[in-house]
Amino acid sequence: MTGFSFGAATGVGSMPGGDAREAAKTVTGSCEDFPFLPELPARGPGADMIGRTAGLLVELYARVEPSGWRIGDRPGRDTKRARSWLGEDLDALEEFTQGYAGPLKVQAVGPWTLAAALELRNGESALSDTGARRDLAGSLAEGLRLHLEEMRRRVPGAQLVLQLDEPSLTSVLRGHVKTASGYRTHRAVDRQVVEATLRDVIGVHSDGPAVVHSCAPDVPFALLRRAGATAISFDFSLLTERDDDTIGEAVEGGTRLFAGVVPGTDGPLSDPAGSVMGVRTLWRRLGMQPGLLAEAVTITPSCGLAGASPDYARRALAHCVRAARSLADNPE
């Protein structure tokens, strides 16, 4: 990824409200150097992260059942709604990125969180069936390839960054995903299988960087790096000193950290320097050169901003930008 320059601050993906133009305006105005395609789950099923990604699938379709999203045979109104909303979001982003050149992030749910969330006809999660998991990952990879092509056409100056959201990844690896009855859990998936599937999906964006995001505890940094993640996005408050070694290895290996340090829901914001104090402390513990800090870290909210008020979401993104500047100006 030589020659690629990440922005210093960006958002995770989701934003409050249901107005695509308002969200695109906020995102491009607040994160001028690293905007992203907003997701607006408040609009309802199909705008949520699972529904949106289900709408990207090729030759696989999903519909909403009382228990959640279920794989079906043909595109129904839920698929059409998901695609229509994505089209609206793309139109809005295109309008506000005229002439833009620089990094631009697009998000989709990764293959393992998708397999844990989508149900098969029998009501069990796709995670329970090896063939279904394989078909889902293949369909997702093809859908992402087409989605990235569309993004390039609409924002030709953008350097696209693909983010895969994998909040369920640790649960998949540990066998903590519940079955439909809720009384048992699905067997843990072999780490090599998890890694190989992620590598295949990340591989559709071989000419650009891929970020894997998880706001769950115990993010498997080493596995994600081996699978080809250029950057790893996480909730900074969930780190423990146990993670120091794997994070140190990741940074030394050239992996960028997307540090989620700004709360994702309404609350008081500290001063920008205070927000990144923990990042500086971690850097000192790792014995890394302070001057490399801004080159290795992008500042983000701790998770998506869908649960925030529009005013707070705007302020949180602006705060991330100021916190990143504080890190660059005063790394020690």
Side-chain angles (χ1 to χ4, degrees):
M1 225 48 61
T2 48
F4 187 89
S5 173
F6 283 98
T10 191
V12 171
S14 68
M15 293 288 288
D19 185 330
R21 287 187 79 254
E22 189 57 39
K25 185 179 170 187
T26 298
V27 159
T28 52
S30 302
C31 304
E32 288 176 16
D33 299 331
F34 197 177
F36 58 97
L37 177 65
E39 299 165 0
L40 302 173
R43 291 181 296 199
D48 59 301
M49 68 182 216
I50 299 297
R52 162 165 286 193
T53 302
L56 293 174
L57 296 174
V58 172
E59 293 179 4
L60 272 182
Y61 309 100
R63 61 176 188 273
V64 180
E65 297 284 341
S67 51
W69 284 90
R70 182 169 294 185
I71 296 170
D73 297 324
R74 59 184 69 85
R77 75 167 179 250
D78 296 321
T79 299
K80 291 192 180 85
R81 195 189 295 125
R83 290 178 177 172
S84 163
W85 274 329
L86 176 59
E88 257 180 52
D89 295 338
L90 288 168
D91 289 346
L93 188 71
E94 185 178 358
E95 179 188 340
F96 286 98
T97 50
Q98 294 293 313
Y100 175 74
L104 172 66
K105 184 163 69 69
V106 293
Q107 306 83 217
V109 176
W112 293 106
T113 297
L114 199 61
L118 288 183
E119 297 173 358
L120 301 172
R121 285 177 191 79
N122 65 4
E124 278 303 346
S125 119
L127 193 64
S128 64
D129 183 304
T130 309
R133 293 187 327 224
R134 202 167 37 238
D135 291 348
L136 195 54
S139 171
L140 174 64
E142 182 58 17
L144 287 174
R145 192 182 63 72
L146 296 171
H147 185 40
L148 291 164
E149 261 177 32
E150 169 86 343
M151 290 293 300
R152 285 186 197 100
R153 188 178 66 70
R154 286 173 176 265
V155 195
Q159 298 172 299
L160 293 181
V161 177
L162 172 63
Q163 175 179 306
L164 295 178
D165 292 320
E166 281 285 15
S168 302
L169 185 61
T170 303
S171 296
V172 167
L173 288 165
R174 294 187 174 171
H176 291 169
V177 178
K178 283 191 162 58
T179 57
S181 70
Y183 295 123
R184 294 186 306 111
T185 54
H186 294 289
R187 274 210 308 272
V189 181
D190 181 89
R191 295 182 83 84
Q192 287 176 315
V193 173
V194 169
E195 187 184 316
T197 302
L198 277 168
R199 188 180 299 112
D200 289 347
V201 176
I202 286 170
V204 300
H205 191 43
S206 56
D207 57 345
V211 186
V212 178
H213 166 74
S214 171
C215 44
D218 298 322
V219 175
F221 286 90
L223 183 149
L224 294 175
R225 287 178 56 222
R226 290 195 304 272
T230 322
I232 298 169
S233 168
F234 55 94
D235 179 344
F236 193 84
S237 70
L238 298 177
L239 287 186
T240 68
E241 292 197 18
R242 278 203 319 270
D243 298 305
D244 281 7
D245 288 348
T246 48
I247 289 179
E249 283 164 19
V251 173
E252 282 175 350
T255 305
R256 192 172 184 90
L257 305 180
F258 279 42
V261 298
V262 176
T265 48
D266 292 42
L269 291 166
S270 73
D271 68 299
S275 293
V276 287
M277 197 158 54
V279 181
R280 290 194 185 94
T281 305
L282 169 69
W283 220 247
R284 278 199 296 274
R285 271 206 320 267
L286 296 176
M288 311 290 272
Q289 281 179 283
L292 295 175
L293 197 45
E295 289 172 32
V297 176
T298 291
I299 297 299
T300 73
S302 56
C303 214
L305 293 166
S309 65
D311 175 59
Y312 177 82
R314 260 192 304 278
R315 287 190 296 116
L317 290 177
H319 190 84
C320 287
V321 172
R322 285 198 297 272
R325 201 170 297 136
S326 150
L327 211 51
D329 292 347
N330 181 16
E332 299 186 68

